[in-house]
Amino acid sequence: MSSKEYVFITGGGSGIGRAFALHFAGLGYGVAVADLKAQAAEETAQQIRAAGGEGLAFGLDVSDPVATQRVAAQVLETFGQMDVVFANAGVLSPADYFEVQPTDWDLSLDVNVKGVEYTCRAFIPGMIERRKGRILTTASYNGFRAGAHVIPYRVTKAAVVMYTRCLALLLAEYGITVNAICPGVTLTPMQLEYAEKTASERGISREAYLDERAARIPMHELTTVADLNALAEFLASPGARIITGQAIAVDGGVLVSS
Ligand SMILES: NC(=O)c1ccc[n+]([C@@H]2O[C@H](COP(=O)([O-])OP(=O)(O)OC[C@H]3O[C@@H](n4cnc5c(N)ncnc54)[C@H](O)[C@@H]3O)[C@@H](O)[C@H]2O)c1
């Protein structure tokens, strides 16, 4: 980086978002961390500051457009600019279709789709003004794979892919890129909780269940947060200046296997 750059990350209090925040702070970015769990966001920012970086924390529900605008305004006032926005916060839905309630659909749509839109929208005017910016969204390999489980989740992640493509076209003329990162199975609190529940329903250990899942992956390995950080770093770098509207799977080959 020739001069200091800044990132904003949602869902930065846990899993993929926290790992991204710490990684980008290590690269020298100033990092604003937002999470529904304010304390978790603060812990990430504290870790950044303890390592000598610049970290801000915000408690934020991304499904609230007014609050998201307010937080973005505070971030822009403090940092003066925003270079990379990572709309990453997301929620899983019940696995069993027959357990899904209308409120589960509402939550999935509100956080996974509208929350991504509100996050991006809050920073787009500033990026257009500077004719500079990188936007990343977190979709999922499940946004491409039909399945009988976690249906609201799959549907909303497919929507994130289409949203990412549309936004890429909207912002192309300003030199702003928009790309989706599509993680495969990544051992974060969200995934571990899902694995725990599914394994116990099947009467097997969590480790046995995760081994089974890894065995079904062509490369026989789960995705790590380091794998996702490597892609995010590249997409934010000058080398990716002309890559936009892409949804890139980091999944050990699952999506290309039949
Ligand atoms: N872990 C995986 O295997 C996997 C695979 C594909 C996609 N993803 C996606 O990656 C993203 C990050 O998930 P993760 O695995 O790190 O999960 P995680 O549960 O560890 O972290 C998600 C974070 O988002 C926050 N969050 C939830 N609702 C929010 C809201 N309304 N406003 C602000 N923050 C909110 C949570 O508090 C949590 O800190 C999600 O979009 C998820 O769907 C994860």
Side-chain angles (χ1 to χ4, degrees):
M1 271 188 290
S2 48
S3 57
K4 178 111 183 175
E5 295 201 349
Y6 297 90
V7 307
F8 178 75
I9 171 86
T10 65
S14 177
I16 292 167
R18 173 172 283 178
F20 170 92
L22 299 175
H23 182 72
F24 272 65
L27 294 173
Y29 285 80
V31 184
V33 182
D35 201 289
L36 186 62
K37 297 178 183 153
Q39 183 56 33
E42 185 50 42
E43 280 164 22
T44 304
Q46 267 169 15
Q47 284 184 41
I48 290 171
R49 293 193 296 266
E54 196 174 359
L56 301 177
F58 297 89
L60 172 67
D61 180 349
V62 294
S63 70
D64 178 342
V66 175
T68 305
Q69 287 284 345
R70 194 168 52 234
V71 165
Q74 278 176 263
V75 170
L76 288 168
E77 198 178 312
T78 309
F79 285 161
Q81 68 192 55
M82 187 45 63
D83 301 282
V84 182
V85 168
F86 192 7
N88 163 76
V91 290
L92 208 49
S93 56
D96 182 348
Y97 175 78
F98 297 100
E99 278 179 19
V100 173
Q101 302 295 317
T103 48
D104 295 313
W105 275 107
D106 289 342
L107 185 67
S108 296
L109 289 161
D110 286 351
V111 179
N112 296 359
V113 184
K114 296 186 206 169
V116 169
E117 146 67 358
Y118 299 150
T119 301
C120 298
R121 180 178 287 265
F123 288 99
I124 285 172
M127 288 183 165
I128 288 179
E129 206 174 302
R130 294 174 68 217
R131 300 184 78 86
K132 182 174 188 289
R134 298 290 165 90
I135 295 175
L136 304 174
T137 59
T138 304
S140 168
Y141 71 143
N142 279 328
F144 290 95
R145 291 167 75 224
H149 294 96
V150 292
I151 291 177
Y153 183 76
R154 290 176 199 270
V155 170
T156 54
K157 290 300 183 178
V160 173
V161 172
M162 183 52 77
Y163 175 76
T164 302
R165 291 174 177 163
C166 294
L167 207 61
L169 293 182
L170 178 80
L171 299 176
E173 67 180 287
Y174 305 104
I176 299 162
T177 68
V178 191
N179 291 291
I181 293 176
C182 303
V185 182
T186 313
L187 294 186
T188 62
M190 175 192 281
Q191 187 62 250
L192 287 168
E193 195 185 316
Y194 180 80
E196 189 78 55
K197 188 166 183 286
T198 314
S200 91
E201 279 164 11
R202 290 183 44 203
I204 59 172
S205 72
R206 188 175 80 182
E207 285 60 40
Y209 170 75
L210 288 170
D211 283 349
E212 261 181 30
R213 288 191 77 176
R216 289 201 299 268
I217 296 169
M219 292 184 82
H220 303 310
E221 283 201 56
L222 302 185
T223 300
T224 67
V225 289
D227 298 323
L228 302 172
N229 283 339
L231 176 60
E233 182 180 339
F234 171 63
L235 290 173
S237 76
R241 70 178 186 92
I242 207 150
I243 299 173
T244 197
Q246 300 305 303
I248 302 173
V250 187
D251 69 350
V254 175
L255 273 189
V256 291
S257 64
S258 52

